[in-house]
Amino acid sequence: MMSAISIKDTPKRRIKKGTIKHLIGQIVVLGIGIIMIYPLIWMFMSSFKETGTIFETAGELWPRVWVLENYFNGWQGVSNVTFGTFFTNSAILSVGGTIGAVISSALVGYAFSRGRFVGRKILFALMLSTLMLPAQVLMVPQFLWFNQLGWIGTYMPLIVPAFFAISGFFVFLITNFMNGIPRELDEAARIDGCSFYGIFMRIILPLSVPALITTSLFSFIWRWDDFMGPLIYVRRVAQFPASLALRMFADPAAATDWGAVFAMSTLSLVPAVAIFIFLQKYLVEGISTAGLKG
Amino acid sequence: MQSNPATTTWKNPLSAIIAFIHREKIAAFICCLPFVVGFFTFLIVPMGMSLYYSFTNFNMLSPPTWTGFDNYIRMWNDTRFWSSLRATFYFAFASVPLRLIFALAIAMLLLRARRLIGIYRAMYYLPSILGGSLAVAILWGRLFAINGVLNEGILEFFGLNRNFPWLGNVNTAIWTLILLAVWQFGSSMLIFLASLKQIPEQLYEASSIDGAGKIKQFVKITLPLLTPTIFFNLVMQTIAGFLAFTQAFVITRGEPMDSTLFYALYMYRQVFDFGNAGYGSAMAWVMLAIIGSMTGILFLTRRFWVYDGGYT
């Protein structure tokens, strides 16, 4: 009996109550969202302010005078090395490492997904265990090893390991994706005379492109942002990537040109923001399928 | 391209090799080879070497000398080691739960949003993508500096500016770093959003017929079905939280009074500033043991609170 009454008199009230609740929810979500990105917008805007006025007018978002000089001053860089060089170095490290990570992870992911060989399960478990061996644990051991190899001061420690699929995240992501490709396709290709390698090149690899794009985007962003690796292995300023250069540039001990720092910081975020705007779909898919940290 | 080597007659060793590497099981192992080689060369060898160094006095200039358990004993008596451990646990245990709570709360709110979902998702997710960059670390330092944005901009606007040194105070410095970690809750939020969408609507309909309110539905339906996701996030982020390095290195430099001297940062100092590679190696192994046991403990508690029964 109760239910009959409530069904009768709810529609009107529920709509009104619903819209108000909905509206409050929207305002809360929007408000927190603005607070979230406010610091980033603040930095972007500050890079166009006259450098002496940035902190005096920290409470104002809109520059009183729009200037571009911070970008010209910042580009000059430090120790006679321009940010053109720093960004090029970042690009070499990120692209080089990413190519290695994608090729090797795809190959190893294929072996785990389709291969039946002795020790596969153990190797897969070892691969998953690398998730618990992040860069910080390996920092000192790998440094001592690369020191023995004479690789310190070169890009080798930052690029070469990427070619050996030791990033469990990417292998895991790609293996999962490949497991979702129907095995009937392999069988059909095998009947048509494809070898194990042929199936990889002609069937699995082309169908795995979305997972490979996700892998390359994350790999690129993480390598572009990497600070600890270059800090330990790179010695000469001319070889610094942008992350190291920014740190040196923003040295609080010296009189810092904050306008120039914010200008170069803003520039250093352009690749990640561009990926975010145009290829967000692949990042979101990577996160929700493999739970990659962003 | 012989696929069946048993029926092939070898003309020369080369074709024998070609046939061999095309045997299905051999081919699969060859594809796996980069990982096998890499795992050995870049993980096993360095970890093994450092295990040896951890029992030596080694400064990277002269050859190591065997000292037995000295490094580990020294660590036990090193007050800075203990304070770095305390700072690290404080950071991890404050930032990880806060991050997950925010992620879940916003994910629940976004679940209802229809029209502006793209913009909202972008707003919340962007910090996760940019958060690891040096640009954000530098910006964060400027937000909380004495003459920074918080003091000169926001608090000044409300007439509350007392030039408080957020980064120079023992109690607040670590919270600026925790805030930076919590700020990057977007990726966890996306994971929650994906899991929430998988919960069948019928469960809520059935329970509301049975008279369950919103809160009861959340506690009895939403939360239990999310526990696998929460568990996964908890494990991965506790590990990540334990490894915090770059942000503390750049923003607070471990200061003031070692209150933000996280474990990884102290290990770095020992090796690269003080030249104690033996001690640093021992610290790396202790770190591995701590991460391993924390993950182990989390997995042991799993059966008490993680619901694996599916949706039926």
Side-chain angles (χ1 to χ4, degrees), chain B residues 90-108:
Chain B
Y90 188 92
F91 174 77
F93 289 150
S95 60
V96 174
L98 280 175
R99 198 166 161 166
L100 292 183
I101 290 168
F102 261 98
L104 183 55
I106 302 289
M108 302 275 298

Side-chain angles (χ1 to χ4, degrees), chain A residues 144-154 156-157:
Chain A
L144 297 173
W145 173 229
F146 292 136
N147 193 24
Q148 294 246 307
L149 295 177
W151 286 8
I152 309 300
T154 71
M156 302 265 280

Side-chain angles (χ1 to χ4, degrees), chain A residues 29 36 116 134 142 190 197 294, chain B residues 21 24 42 124 128 183 243:
Chain A
V29 170
M36 291 280 291
R116 295 281 169 269
Q142 281 188 338
R190 188 170 289 127
Y197 308 108
Chain B
I21 63 166
E24 195 97 325
F42 299 116
Y124 288 107
S128 293
W183 185 60
L243 299 167

Side-chain angles (χ1 to χ4, degrees), chain A residues 187-201:
Chain A
E187 287 307 319
R190 188 170 289 127
I191 290 164
D192 289 346
C194 266
S195 66
F196 190 75
Y197 308 108
I199 295 170
F200 175 63
M201 293 302 290

Side-chain angles (χ1 to χ4, degrees), chain A:
Chain A
M1 297 302 110
M2 284 292 288
S3 62
I5 293 164
S6 65
I7 284 170
K8 222 174 174 182
D9 73 355
T10 36
K12 240 186 194 169
R13 255 168 62 197
R14 188 180 281 171
I15 287 167
K16 209 174 173 192
K17 210 177 149 194
T19 42
I20 290 170
K21 259 175 115 176
H22 180 75
L23 205 68
I24 292 171
Q26 293 266 316
I27 290 167
V28 169
V29 170
L30 192 68
I32 300 175
I34 289 170
I35 295 171
M36 291 280 291
I37 55 167
Y38 180 82
L40 296 168
I41 295 172
W42 182 87
M43 179 170 79
F44 178 75
M45 289 297 188
S46 295
S47 72
F48 294 105
K49 287 179 179 175
E50 285 173 298
T51 186
T53 67
I54 289 176
F55 291 103
E56 286 166 30
T57 64
E60 300 165 25
L61 208 50
W62 208 253
R64 288 179 192 170
V65 195
W66 287 76
V67 292
L68 276 176
E69 62 174 323
N70 293 326
Y71 284 84
F72 293 113
N73 292 341
W75 193 262
Q76 302 307 313
V78 273
S79 309
N80 291 323
V81 185
T82 66
F83 261 88
T85 308
F86 296 138
F87 284 129
T88 310
N89 292 339
S90 286
I92 292 170
L93 287 172
S94 322
V95 173
T98 298
I99 290 172
V102 172
I103 294 174
S104 62
S105 305
L107 206 58
V108 173
Y110 175 61
F112 282 138
S113 170
R114 293 302 200 264
R116 295 281 169 269
F117 52 95
V118 183
R120 190 187 78 99
K121 280 194 175 147
I122 295 169
L123 286 174
F124 193 73
L126 287 178
M127 187 274 291
L128 287 180
S129 76
T130 62
L131 295 178
M132 274 174 50
L133 271 179
Q136 288 86 336
V137 173
L138 293 165
M139 167 168 73
V140 175
Q142 281 188 338
F143 177 83
L144 297 173
W145 173 229
F146 292 136
N147 193 24
Q148 294 246 307
L149 295 177
W151 286 8
I152 309 300
T154 71
Y155 283 169
M156 302 265 280
L158 300 171
I159 295 180
V160 175
F163 279 82
F164 291 89
I166 52 173
S167 175
F169 270 124
F170 297 142
V171 179
F172 184 60
L173 177 107
I174 291 175
T175 307
N176 264 357
F177 191 90
M178 287 178 175
N179 283 340
I181 300 173
R183 276 156 208 276
E184 288 77 28
L185 295 175
D186 303 33
E187 287 307 319
R190 188 170 289 127
I191 290 164
D192 289 346
C194 266
S195 66
F196 190 75
Y197 308 108
I199 295 170
F200 175 63
M201 293 302 290
R202 287 159 197 264
I203 311 287
I204 305 293
L205 203 58
L207 288 175
S208 303
V209 167
L212 301 183
I213 293 177
T214 302
T215 300
S216 17
L217 296 183
F218 275 109
S219 166
F220 183 88
I221 293 175
W222 290 344
R223 282 167 199 282
W224 183 275
D225 283 347
D226 186 21
F227 174 76
M228 201 178 77
L231 176 74
I232 293 169
Y233 295 116
V234 181
R235 291 292 150 85
R236 286 174 41 232
V237 176
Q239 290 189 326
F240 275 17
S243 58
L244 272 192
L246 278 174
R247 159 99 199 308
M248 204 162 95
F249 206 36
D251 186 4
T256 304
D257 179 354
W258 287 110
V261 170
F262 290 143
M264 290 304 108
S265 295
T266 303
L267 272 190
S268 78
L269 295 179
V270 166
V273 172
I275 288 173
F276 181 80
I277 291 172
F278 297 111
L279 299 162
Q280 198 190 126
K281 179 179 102 180
Y282 293 101
L283 301 179
V284 173
E285 248 151 52
I287 282 194
S288 30
T289 52
L292 285 173
K293 66 190 160 96

